[in-house]
Amino acid sequence: MRDVASIAGVSHQTVSRVINNSPNVKAAVREKVQQTIDALGYVPNSAARRMGGNRSYLILAINDRQRTYDNWRAGRGNDWVDQMLYGGMTECEARGYHLVFELIDTQPEKAQGQLSKVISELRPDGVILTPPHSENAALTDLLKEFGIACARIGKREGGAFVDVCMDEAGAGFEAARHLADLGHRQIAYLAGSPFYGNSMMRLDGYRDLLQERSLPFRSDWIGKGDFKFDTAITVVKKWLSHKECPTAIIADNDQMAFAVLHVADRLGLKIPRDLSLVSLEDTPGVRLSVPPMTAIRQPTADMIAKACGGLIAESSGKSARGKYELPFELVKRESTASAP
């Protein structure tokens, strides 16, 4: 740092302010210091930075342990985690921070102890809770006790938290509206897990559209797919084998949407000629499926980046608490068409 300061002709305190993105540094001075840092290849020592102040320069993001491991073991990958790491790591790197990713059980009796252990070991400046952990008040209470800033993905209350979300109900509503605009009246819904509040909000949006358009609501066309391919197979097979079957299906994630493709193919149904399909996730696989799937694209990377930015601001003494809602996008592809 002294070398950088000497060559740039500034104090080492100014170099420190540039590294930490602190205010009160003129743009020209900041640019000169940054050019010197780049030229020398200077990298701040994280351990020294932690010892020199009350910050760790670490942001901790946690995810559902069992569901993440299940997807990895099955070889299905996990695009949610990919997008989460992409958004979080990019934002942290740009601000001189590091993102640490941990898996925590969703069972309340396990989650609190596991999170407490990780916090004690790492002492992060902020913690990102993703669904369903963001619904667990015991975890937010724990973070308050530790005095650690918290960002919650999928929550929309703000208050003492950095809450980052998308319009979940709006996503379910938009998917159903797209199908209704194509003339579909028999629209079924493959729901995720009731333990995920955002999943239930999407279902509410679907119901709202049916009510607005005076379309029939059937409880037997709300399938409990639990975000799983195998579970969805059983539900969809029952639907499509019945004499009176839906002409369109909305799936709460891509794995369940792929289950619809498989069952339809086995029964000799063509998508979208006989059955339209919309997914509420949009991982890379839906773009390569046959046919490519119409989907709601979630702003996952942007939400995690926003959460990281808010927590980093909080750690530097700037208030960033509140609700931040980011837009989703309906991407129309070849799995939806006019009702048969």
Side-chain angles (χ1 to χ4, degrees):
M1 188 182 290
R2 282 193 292 270
D3 291 338
V4 172
S6 176
I7 293 172
V10 299
S11 68
H12 72 270
Q13 289 92 342
T14 298
V15 177
S16 177
R17 284 195 288 271
V18 172
I19 291 169
N20 293 314
N21 291 313
S22 299
N24 304 322
V25 180
K26 293 181 179 178
V29 174
R30 187 182 297 275
E31 183 179 359
K32 187 175 182 180
V33 171
Q34 189 59 56
Q35 288 175 349
T36 306
I37 288 172
D38 295 341
L40 294 178
Y42 170 66
V43 178
N45 183 290
S46 296
R49 293 173 79 196
R50 288 195 290 270
M51 287 189 292
N54 59 359
R55 285 191 277 175
S56 66
Y57 298 93
L58 299 176
I59 298 297
L60 172 65
I62 68 171
N63 206 49
D64 181 341
R65 176 191 292 270
Q66 191 60 51
R67 193 174 300 282
T68 304
Y69 276 142
D70 285 346
N71 286 335
W72 282 339
R73 290 190 187 109
R76 294 175 183 143
N78 200 318
D79 191 65
W80 161 263
V81 173
D82 290 346
Q83 291 297 308
M84 180 180 176
L85 294 177
Y86 168 60
M89 292 177 73
T90 303
E91 183 69 16
C92 285
E93 182 182 25
R95 294 170 175 260
Y97 270 67
H98 295 279
L99 181 75
V100 181
F101 178 66
E102 293 280 343
L103 298 177
I104 301 293
D105 283 302
T106 55
Q107 296 93 324
E109 64 278 6
K110 291 184 178 181
Q112 197 169 354
Q114 290 172 357
L115 182 58
S116 179
K117 180 176 181 292
V118 174
I119 289 173
S120 298
E121 292 171 348
L122 298 176
R123 281 289 176 178
D125 290 333
V127 174
I128 300 173
L129 301 178
T130 61
H133 296 300
S134 52
E135 306 281 340
N136 189 342
L139 298 186
T140 54
D141 289 343
L142 178 67
L143 293 173
K144 285 181 185 176
E145 290 177 21
F146 275 98
I148 296 175
C150 173
R152 303 182 300 179
I153 304 299
K155 296 287 285 183
R156 52 190 65 244
E157 297 163 12
F161 306 98
V162 178
D163 281 351
V164 188
C165 60
M166 76 172 195
D167 182 0
E168 305 285 356
F173 186 94
E174 185 64 27
R177 178 166 63 181
H178 172 60
L179 294 169
D181 287 346
L182 290 170
H184 292 275
R185 293 184 53 81
Q186 298 161 273
I187 306 171
Y189 191 96
L190 265 173
S193 168
F195 296 107
Y196 284 68
N198 53 347
S199 178
M200 295 300 98
M201 284 188 277
R202 292 174 211 156
L203 179 57
D204 288 341
Y206 155 81
R207 287 191 179 115
D208 289 343
L209 185 281
L210 295 187
Q211 184 176 20
E212 181 182 286
R213 296 290 183 92
S214 299
L215 298 177
F217 172 78
R218 292 179 48 164
S219 59
D220 58 329
W221 281 357
I222 305 295
K224 297 178 181 179
D226 197 30
F227 295 123
K228 297 177 181 177
F229 178 87
D230 295 332
T231 306
I233 285 278
T234 303
V235 175
V236 177
K237 193 180 295 183
K238 182 178 179 181
W239 282 346
L240 299 185
S241 299
H242 199 274
K243 183 178 180 180
E244 187 179 0
C245 65
T247 63
I249 295 175
I250 299 171
D252 207 359
N253 76 336
D254 290 344
Q255 283 196 38
M256 296 193 296
F258 288 133
V260 177
L261 290 180
H262 279 250
V263 174
D265 183 64
R266 292 174 193 171
L267 296 176
L269 299 174
K270 295 293 183 182
I271 292 178
R273 185 194 68 192
D274 304 312
L275 178 71
S276 284
L277 174 63
V278 178
S279 177
L280 295 178
E281 189 174 14
D282 197 46
T283 62
V286 304
R287 301 159 213 174
L288 305 175
S289 64
V290 181
M293 263 188 256
T294 295
I296 294 288
R297 180 174 294 165
Q298 301 182 27
T300 305
D302 290 341
M303 287 195 294
I304 301 300
K306 188 70 176 179
C308 287
L311 293 177
I312 291 170
E314 286 282 328
S315 72
S316 62
K318 302 173 186 174
S319 177
R321 298 173 184 180
K323 184 191 85 170
Y324 304 90
E325 185 173 285
L326 303 185
F328 62 83
E329 179 186 2
L330 174 66
V331 183
K332 299 177 184 178
R333 299 193 182 96
E334 298 170 32
S335 67
T336 51
S338 298

